[in-house]
């Protein structure tokens, strides 16, 4: 971490150009009540097992689970990642479901920070039930059905779309699972793009976002389409540990153990070799691994057992990882930068500014392997 901190002090991200799309959610962070002691006092369910058991025990009967709202914030993988990159100092263009005809107030900070914003549809709504060991996302996503290629061309314009996705350091298309027409958008972009004259390629980051609810044949088709972007970009597929298992099972990868039990290095290498993208990255809660050019990279994160907010942690990790790539850091340093951004986020309930990120990396270096 000392070396990373020293390198970051010499860098600034202000020259970096990013385009992100296409979802948008209003996230309502809630706690599930285990026992209520009075109108003003209750004990929350601290882990997902409690929540699951409460539901399971009511099978064939019924039950009531009280949800206590804690805060409302911008949500959706795209807005959260874009907002983190804005805070870190990059120039961001956002296209997605932020509200139409009027942008929802939870996105005001993002809109003010972005260079350009194009809102195509009403956002979805998520009740994010937070636990110490994870979260349950209860989503309503009707508005995202309006995120289509025709709408993008109408609101943004073909010339601006081509410029935004060509003249950038990073393009990110997120939440394939909840954006039902993203394949259609990918097809439109593939027809619009052309290789750069100088032969260089920007980065394209793709996050499927919990593909388990989609049919295996749909996932396979998505993998093929993502691969087509390799003509124009250095393609990065980012997955959490659950998603990595799901993709490995759909691809019928042969591992030493069931995909859910395989060691991180084994599943990252297997997926990386099988899919053939420029980078395959997987980020469990306490560590992260990436496969690039036949080499495996790994870091342990600054773990905390008491996160204050986990909804959006993965998107903040993705922002930090991609920022590291754009700054031309080594891959293991990019993984560490992702862990630092998400580590700050789960502790402070917001994305860090650039100097705050540097300070957090310095603190991580001081603490070493200690929890903080």
């Amino acid at each position: 971490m000392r070396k990373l901190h020293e390198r970051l002090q010499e860098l600034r991200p202000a020259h970096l150009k990013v385009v992100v799309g296409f979802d948008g959610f209003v996230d309502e962070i809630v706690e599930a009540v285990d026992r209520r002691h009075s109108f003003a006092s209750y004990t929350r369910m601290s882990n997902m097992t409690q929540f699951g058991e409460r539901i399971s025990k009511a099978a064939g009967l019924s039950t009531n689970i009280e949800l206590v709202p804690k805060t409302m914030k911008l949500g959706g993988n795209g807005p959260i990642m874009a907002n983190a990159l804005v805070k870190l100092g990059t120039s961001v263009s956002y296209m997605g479901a932020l509200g139409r005809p009027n942008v929802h107030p939870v996105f005001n900070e993002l809109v003010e920070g972005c260079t350009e914003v194009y809102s195509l549809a009403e956002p979805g709504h998520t009740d994010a039930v937070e636990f110490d060991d994870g979260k349950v996302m209860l989503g309503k996503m009707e508005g995202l059905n309006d995120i289509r290629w025709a709408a993008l061309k109408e609101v943004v314009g073909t010339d601006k779309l081509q410029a935004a996705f060509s003249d950038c350091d990073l393009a990110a298309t997120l939440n394939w699972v909840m954006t039902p027409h993203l394949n259609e958008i990918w097809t439109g972009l593939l027809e619009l793009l052309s290789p750069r004259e100088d032969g260089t390629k920007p980065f394209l980051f793709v996050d499927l976002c919990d593909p388990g609810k989609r049919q295996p044949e749909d996932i396979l088709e998505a993998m093929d389409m993502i691969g087509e972007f390799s003509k124009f970009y250095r393609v990065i597929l980012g997955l959490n540990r659950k998603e990595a298992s799901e993709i490995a099972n759909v691809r019928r990868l042969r591992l030493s153990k069931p995909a859910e039990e395989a060691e991180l290095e084994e599943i990252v290498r297997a997926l990386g070799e099988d899919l053939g993208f420029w980078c395959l990255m997987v980020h469990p809660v306490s560590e992260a691994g990436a496969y690039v050019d036949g080499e495996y990279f790994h870091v342990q994160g600054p773990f905390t057992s008491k996160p204050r907010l986990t909804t959006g942690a993965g998107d903040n990790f993705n922002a930090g990882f991609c920022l590291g790539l754009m700054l031309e850091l080594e891959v293991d340093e990019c993984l560490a930068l992702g862990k630092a951004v998400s580590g700050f986020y789960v502790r402070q309930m917001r994305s860090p500014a650039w100097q705050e990120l540097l300070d957090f990396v310095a603190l991580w270096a001081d603490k070493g392997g200690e929890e903080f």
Side-chain angles (χ1 to χ4, degrees):
M1 290 306 110
R2 294 285 182 203
K3 177 185 173 185
L4 176 60
H5 184 253
E6 291 172 3
R7 292 200 63 184
L8 291 175
Q9 292 186 80
E10 302 170 358
L11 301 171
R12 290 294 182 272
H15 65 287
L16 300 172
K17 297 175 66 175
V18 179
V19 57
V20 184
F22 296 95
D23 69 341
F25 279 81
V26 176
D27 278 356
E28 190 164 2
I29 311 301
V30 301
E31 292 180 345
V33 174
D34 182 26
R35 291 285 182 272
R36 181 163 284 284
H37 310 298
S38 68
F39 179 78
S41 175
Y42 65 90
T43 303
R44 66 185 278 263
M45 296 187 198
S46 61
N47 61 73
M48 296 176 71
T49 301
Q50 288 177 281
F51 189 70
E53 288 178 347
R54 183 71 61 88
I55 295 171
S56 297
K57 288 178 181 178
L61 304 168
S62 62
T63 192
N64 176 285
I65 297 178
E66 181 185 357
L67 301 178
V68 179
K70 303 303 291 183
T71 186
M72 188 174 286
K73 57 183 280 295
L74 92 166
N77 302 95
I80 295 174
M81 182 176 177
N83 193 56
L85 287 165
V86 166
K87 291 291 190 67
L88 290 166
T90 68
S91 175
V92 178
S93 296
Y94 193 79
M95 306 172 187
L98 306 183
R100 191 169 176 87
N102 299 313
V103 171
H104 192 287
V106 297
F107 300 109
N108 285 347
E109 184 181 21
L110 172 64
V111 171
E112 292 170 3
C114 283
T115 305
E116 294 180 305
V117 171
Y118 302 93
S119 185
L120 315 177
E122 283 292 287
H125 186 98
T126 298
D127 287 327
V129 192
E130 291 266 345
F131 305 96
D132 291 343
D133 59 349
K135 58 187 176 290
V136 177
M137 311 285 281
L138 306 173
K140 297 177 279 290
M141 47 177 278
E142 289 81 3
L144 273 67
N145 193 51
D146 295 328
I147 303 295
R148 308 197 64 146
W149 180 240
L152 267 174
K153 290 194 295 182
E154 177 186 349
V155 175
V156 182
T158 302
D159 290 344
K160 284 189 176 180
L161 275 170
Q162 186 177 38
F165 280 87
S166 300
D167 183 22
C168 63
D169 298 287
L170 169 74
T173 68
L174 309 167
N175 206 345
W176 170 79
V177 167
M178 290 189 177
T179 310
H181 305 292
L182 189 51
N183 284 23
E184 172 190 298
I185 293 173
W186 283 344
T187 299
L189 288 173
L190 286 166
E191 293 174 353
L192 197 64
L193 294 167
S194 57
R196 289 179 172 176
E197 292 183 2
D198 62 3
T200 61
K201 292 181 178 181
F203 296 104
L204 172 67
F205 181 82
V206 180
D207 191 346
L208 300 177
C209 305
D210 204 4
K213 68 180 73 174
R214 297 288 289 267
Q215 296 296 323
E217 57 268 27
D218 294 339
I219 297 173
L220 292 172
E221 180 184 0
M223 294 297 100
D224 290 340
M225 291 196 71
I226 294 167
E228 289 294 311
F229 281 99
S230 297
K231 303 170 187 174
F232 314 111
Y233 298 98
R234 286 171 283 179
V235 175
I236 308 147
L237 178 62
L239 304 166
N240 64 29
R241 186 60 184 84
K242 175 177 175 289
E243 293 163 349
S245 297
E246 291 167 349
I247 300 299
N249 287 329
V250 169
R251 299 289 294 189
R252 300 182 183 276
L253 299 188
R254 300 182 66 178
L255 304 169
S256 63
K257 299 178 181 179
E260 295 77 10
E261 302 172 13
E263 296 293 330
L264 181 63
E265 179 172 356
E266 181 182 16
I267 197 167
V268 170
R269 282 185 177 274
L271 283 167
E273 292 170 0
D274 176 68
L275 293 169
F277 303 148
W278 181 82
C279 172
L280 188 285
M281 179 269 291
V282 180
H283 55 93
V285 173
S286 61
E287 58 183 329
Y291 184 84
V292 180
D293 290 337
E295 188 174 353
Y296 176 73
F297 302 87
H298 174 265
V299 298
Q300 289 287 343
F303 180 69
T304 174
S305 59
K306 297 293 183 181
R308 297 176 63 199
L309 176 64
T310 61
T311 302
D315 303 308
N316 274 265
F317 173 89
N318 294 336
F321 178 73
C322 290
L323 177 63
L325 291 174
M326 290 187 284
L327 292 172
E328 300 182 346
L329 299 178
E330 300 297 327
V331 179
D332 57 347
E333 294 176 324
C334 296
L335 292 169
L337 197 63
K339 282 297 183 186
V341 174
S342 62
F344 181 97
Y345 177 85
V346 301
R347 290 164 172 81
Q348 303 299 326
M349 303 178 67
R350 60 182 177 84
S351 301
W354 177 250
Q355 186 58 51
E356 289 176 320
L357 176 61
L358 267 62
D359 293 343
F360 186 87
V361 172
L363 176 62
W364 184 5
D366 289 340
K367 294 295 184 179
E370 297 178 17
E371 180 175 348
F372 66 97

